[in-house]
Amino acid sequence: QILLIKGITFGLSPFLFALGDDAFADFIGGIQFLPTTIMMVHLCPAGSEGASYAMFTTMSNSAYSLASAFSTLLLGVWDVSKDAMERGDLTGMVNLTALTTLIQVSGVLFVGLLPRTKEDLSNLHSDPMSGSKIGGFIFLFVTFVSVLYSLAVGLLNIVAPGWSGESR
C-alpha cells in the first residue's frame, strides 16, 4: 500500500498494482481463517459443528466491520484530507497506512497461544472452563456490541459525514 502511495508500482498500472495488493491480502486472510476454523470445530461439542462454524464466521465478519469502523476513527490522527493530497503531502497517508498495517499483522503475536498438537487441543476441550457460561456470555456480548457499534458508525457516516473529524 505504501508503495502505491509513493507511486512505486514496478511498471504496473496503479490500478493493477492495487488490485493485486487487495487480492493478495484476501488470499492471506483466507489462509489464516482456515486453520483457526478447523481448530474451533474440533473444540466444539459433537453435533454442533455447524453452529460453531456459523458463530466463528459471524465473529470474523463482525471483526471486519469493526475494523472498518475503527479505521474511520483513525482518519483524524494524521492529516489525510483532500487538501493535503492535492498539496502532495502524503505523510499522513503513509503514517496511517503503516499504523493500520501494524495493527493488521499484530495477530501474529498471539500465534504462540494456539495449541501446538492434537493433544493440546484435546486438553483444551476437556478443560472445565471450556464450557463456561461466562465465556459464552463474553463472546456473545463482544459480538453483538461489535455489530451494533459498526452499524452506528455506518449510519453516522451516512447521516452526518465528517462526524468524527475525518475529511469530507
Side-chain angles (χ1 to χ4, degrees):
Q1 191 71 20
I2 292 175
L3 293 174
L4 183 62
I5 293 168
K6 293 289 189 179
I8 303 169
T9 59
F10 305 107
L12 296 171
S13 75
F15 176 76
L16 288 177
F17 190 82
L19 186 64
D21 177 45
D22 193 42
F24 185 70
D26 287 346
F27 176 72
I28 295 298
I31 288 175
Q32 291 173 341
F33 185 74
L34 188 59
T36 312
T37 304
I38 291 170
M39 182 188 72
M40 291 297 291
V41 166
H42 285 303
L43 286 173
C44 72
S48 64
E49 293 87 356
S52 296
Y53 177 77
M55 285 179 53
F56 186 63
T57 303
T58 301
M59 189 64 161
S60 178
N61 291 340
S62 66
Y64 179 74
S65 296
L66 186 63
S68 296
F70 183 67
S71 67
T72 300
L73 296 177
L74 289 176
L75 290 174
V77 175
W78 289 287
D79 186 12
V80 291
S81 65
K82 182 180 174 185
D83 294 335
M85 300 296 155
E86 288 174 346
R87 287 192 315 266
D89 181 12
L90 301 177
T91 307
M93 183 67 79
V94 170
N95 289 341
L96 189 59
T97 301
L99 175 65
T100 55
T101 300
L102 285 173
I103 291 171
Q104 283 178 334
V105 298
S106 66
V108 170
L109 300 173
F110 298 100
V111 168
L113 297 174
L114 294 173
R116 296 182 187 273
T117 64
K118 285 189 176 185
E119 290 80 27
D120 291 344
L121 194 60
S122 295
N123 290 340
L124 273 178
H125 187 61
S126 62
D127 185 351
M129 289 301 287
S130 70
S132 167
K133 290 184 183 197
I134 295 170
F137 173 78
I138 291 171
F139 174 82
L140 290 174
F141 179 78
V142 168
T143 300
F144 287 123
V145 168
S146 298
V147 169
L148 290 174
Y149 177 76
S150 298
L151 286 171
V153 169
L155 287 173
L156 280 171
N157 286 340
I158 293 169
V159 175
W163 66 271
S164 67
E166 72 275 8
S167 60
R168 295 176 192 210

